[in-house]
Amino acid sequence: MPGPDGVLRIHLTRYPLEHPGEGWMQPESLLTHRMALEPRPRSETASFVPASWTDAERLRLDTDHLRQSNLASSSSVVVARADDDPPLLVLDRLLQQRFAGVIGVLVDDHTVLVWVHTHEGFWELTPDGYDGASGYIVTMTAEDPEAPGPVSLYPSALYGWALWWCLQAQQLIDDRDVGLADLPPPPLALDIVEAWRVYRVRLTAPDRVGFPAPDIRQGWPPDMGPIE
């Protein structure tokens, strides 16, 4: 909903991953989605395992890593930390691995690089091969760096805007379904509200860019071709 000065306000509430049960009904005004924080690659975390760890402790680490990876694979929003890597490189890597509608890369404690997918499908098959991904890239920055609020939820706020826009547009269009492919450029400012506290977030002018599709043949055995 628009705030007092006309800037759209996105209210965010975190829920536990477990479904609340069959008797729970989602309010019409509430849109839910699954968000995952991308774990570090297993090859990196393994180097930090102390030599004194038992087999049980190593197995628990592997199990936790696999569960986090599976969660990220089925989430609508995936967020990762850039650490010492270029944020755009991290984003490119995630786009090759995940099928999320929105991907965010945490640059620092008040800035996130965010990609919003604008394809109806992911890696669609065309006569020339698999089509790549297209979407908007923006940088979301807290207006007040000293009080940035829930930075890891900035991508979820942008996804909330995308879903809200689709719902509003669908009410005006009857002859076809409205989806992410119809999204206009994201707004230049959003108010993110969590626990009734408002955080103003600025967005850079969006870039409309495309990324190539991953080479899915890498997972096939050498003696096999594509499966029709």
Side-chain angles (χ1 to χ4, degrees):
M1 66 179 65
D5 55 358
V7 175
L8 187 67
R9 288 192 167 183
I10 304 294
H11 291 254
L12 299 176
T13 302
R14 310 184 205 202
Y15 288 89
L17 183 60
E18 294 79 9
H19 194 278
E22 295 182 0
W24 183 80
M25 295 184 63
Q26 175 176 301
E28 293 183 0
S29 60
L30 180 67
L31 298 174
T32 60
H33 68 271
R34 179 179 292 178
M35 187 272 280
L37 288 172
E38 180 75 9
R40 297 181 65 178
R42 182 67 183 90
S43 59
E44 294 184 13
T45 57
S47 63
F48 292 95
V49 175
S52 60
W53 272 28
T54 64
D55 290 342
E57 290 173 322
R58 295 173 185 272
L59 178 61
R60 183 168 62 250
L61 178 64
D62 288 340
T63 302
D64 290 344
H65 188 276
L66 178 61
R67 182 168 59 247
Q68 291 179 2
S69 181
N70 290 339
L71 173 62
S73 298
S74 60
S75 296
S76 302
V77 177
V78 173
V79 181
R81 296 187 180 278
D83 293 327
D84 296 328
D85 295 327
L88 195 59
L89 181 62
V90 178
L91 177 62
D92 180 49
R93 183 174 70 239
L94 290 174
L95 279 167
Q96 301 295 315
Q97 299 171 347
R98 304 302 183 196
F99 297 108
V102 172
I103 293 177
V105 179
L106 300 174
V107 178
D108 52 39
D109 59 1
H110 59 274
T111 308
V112 188
L113 181 70
V114 185
W115 157 276
V116 182
H117 209 294
T118 56
H119 257 199
E120 290 295 354
F122 296 93
W123 315 132
E124 295 175 338
L125 182 60
T126 68
D128 297 325
Y130 277 89
D131 194 8
S134 64
Y136 295 108
I137 290 182
V138 299
T139 298
M140 303 180 69
T141 306
E143 185 175 72
D144 182 2
E146 301 300 323
V151 181
S152 62
L153 297 185
Y154 285 11
S156 288
L158 197 58
Y159 188 55
W161 162 80
L163 297 180
W164 171 84
W165 186 92
C166 289
L167 287 175
Q168 299 301 308
Q170 188 65 73
Q171 296 178 6
L172 303 175
I173 301 175
D174 297 326
D175 58 343
R176 64 178 180 86
D177 293 333
V178 176
L180 294 180
D182 302 297
L183 278 180
L188 298 180
L190 284 174
D191 281 342
I192 296 177
V193 184
E194 187 188 37
W196 304 111
R197 184 170 179 179
V198 181
Y199 303 92
R200 175 66 54 88
V201 177
R202 298 292 180 181
L203 288 73
T204 58
D207 291 325
R208 187 66 181 266
V209 296
F211 283 80
D215 185 0
I216 62 175
R217 294 170 298 179
Q218 293 178 358
W220 294 333
D223 59 342
M224 293 180 63
I227 300 174
E228 298 295 339

